[in-house]
Amino acid sequence: MGGMEHFVPVSVLALHAVLPHPEAIMKGAGIRPLIDGRDVLEEIHPDGDSSCYQQKWFGSWETWPLWAAREPRRVELSNNDCDTGCCGGVFVTIQRRGDHVEWVSWENTNDIRVPLPLEVHFDAAQYDAELARVVADHSWEEPVDTAARLLAHRIAATDWYKRWDCQPFMHGIRVQERGESAEVVMHFVTGQFDERGTHRWHAMSVSAQEPVEEQVRRFVEQITAIDPRESTKGP
């Protein structure tokens, strides 16, 4: 008789959006992973914030933070509302192998004493479907989140960056404020990503008293018609 085949359990991924705490530096919602219904980040980094911010999901599917490619990729899952190189966080290596997605080589640079999950295996079809589902789910959004999403897509659909020799910076669009002073900021660099480039930004105030789509349409028309070197804020 041949030896028994090694059985690898297959887990189920679920993603959900969580709004930031009021004092958070990063005001965008975080997309948190649940593995078989367990919030693993809560277990191994309970005071941390998700690093998979909403604005990181605005691009094409291969740019999504949790996208699994055939080449292994080290992904930051959580942080301390600060740079993980300074204050630590949780990392995992994600790779696609055939019809499975693997999360391996977990790291917790926030606290190396905390036990880490072993290798986690997902069915690739379920995994991909869950990533697509959370990108399409806007039910949790506040007006400022909707504005950030629409602004990112509508700017990308124009030739604005190319026309004015600009480069999007740090994923370009992010929520800067919430509540009474809701604001979205579009960051970019004029010129190249080196000492010759200049970091600039446009700020868009978001009102709950007017349809967000109309506010974004008006803002895009306004900023795309003008040279950003003359119309934006910068150093």
Side-chain angles (χ1 to χ4, degrees):
M1 294 179 60
M4 292 183 61
E5 293 185 4
H6 178 61
F7 174 73
V8 178
V10 176
S11 294
V12 175
L13 177 71
L15 302 172
H16 68 121
V18 177
L19 295 180
H21 57 85
E23 291 78 30
I25 295 174
M26 179 59 74
K27 301 298 182 180
I31 307 300
R32 295 183 69 90
L34 276 66
I35 299 176
D36 296 329
R38 294 169 42 215
D39 188 337
V40 291
L41 295 182
E42 179 64 26
E43 295 175 9
I44 62 180
H45 191 187
D47 298 323
D49 295 327
S50 170
S51 297
C52 298
Y53 306 114
Q54 179 206 23
Q55 59 265 35
K56 293 184 177 182
W57 299 82
F58 288 156
S60 56
W61 51 266
E62 67 272 13
T63 68
W64 297 345
L66 298 181
W67 178 252
R70 298 194 182 281
E71 290 297 319
R73 188 167 56 91
R74 183 174 181 260
V75 176
E76 180 184 313
L77 294 180
S78 70
N79 65 84
N80 286 303
D81 199 26
C82 183
D83 183 88
T84 49
C86 168
C87 298
V90 172
F91 301 81
V92 71
T93 297
I94 299 177
Q95 182 176 13
R96 184 180 302 267
R97 286 183 181 271
D99 58 358
H100 286 85
V101 171
E102 299 176 351
W103 284 20
V104 300
S105 302
W106 291 77
E107 304 169 61
N108 186 350
T109 60
N110 172 72
D111 188 346
I112 61 175
R113 301 167 298 175
V114 176
L116 294 171
L118 301 175
E119 293 187 3
V120 181
H121 297 254
F122 303 98
D123 174 80
Q126 187 275 322
Y127 186 96
D128 293 347
E130 181 60 12
L131 266 58
R133 184 203 63 79
V134 80
V135 169
D137 178 18
H138 311 309
S139 61
W140 57 271
E141 291 181 346
E142 294 183 355
V144 69
D145 302 298
T146 303
R149 173 174 53 82
L150 293 178
L151 180 57
H153 289 303
R154 293 187 183 180
I155 286 293
T158 73
D159 64 350
W160 187 83
Y161 286 121
K162 293 181 180 179
R163 193 189 332 158
W164 302 113
D165 189 26
C166 297
Q167 305 286 339
F169 175 75
M170 292 291 289
H171 298 282
I173 313 291
R174 56 179 121 162
V175 173
Q176 195 79 2
E177 300 290 345
R178 288 185 175 274
E180 296 296 327
S181 58
E183 185 178 68
V184 174
V185 176
M186 185 178 75
H187 296 260
F188 57 95
V189 172
T190 53
Q192 301 301 313
F193 280 112
D194 56 27
E195 65 276 2
R196 295 171 294 172
T198 302
H199 178 205
R200 297 182 179 275
W201 62 92
H202 276 297
M204 173 186 171
S205 297
V206 181
S207 169
Q209 311 306 316
E210 182 183 6
V212 174
E213 292 81 357
E214 176 60 23
Q215 296 179 65
V216 172
R217 183 198 62 77
R218 188 167 61 244
F219 183 73
V220 170
E221 286 185 354
Q222 171 189 334
I223 67 173
T224 55
I226 304 173
D227 186 335
R229 291 167 293 188
E230 301 175 0
S231 63
T232 56
K233 298 178 181 179

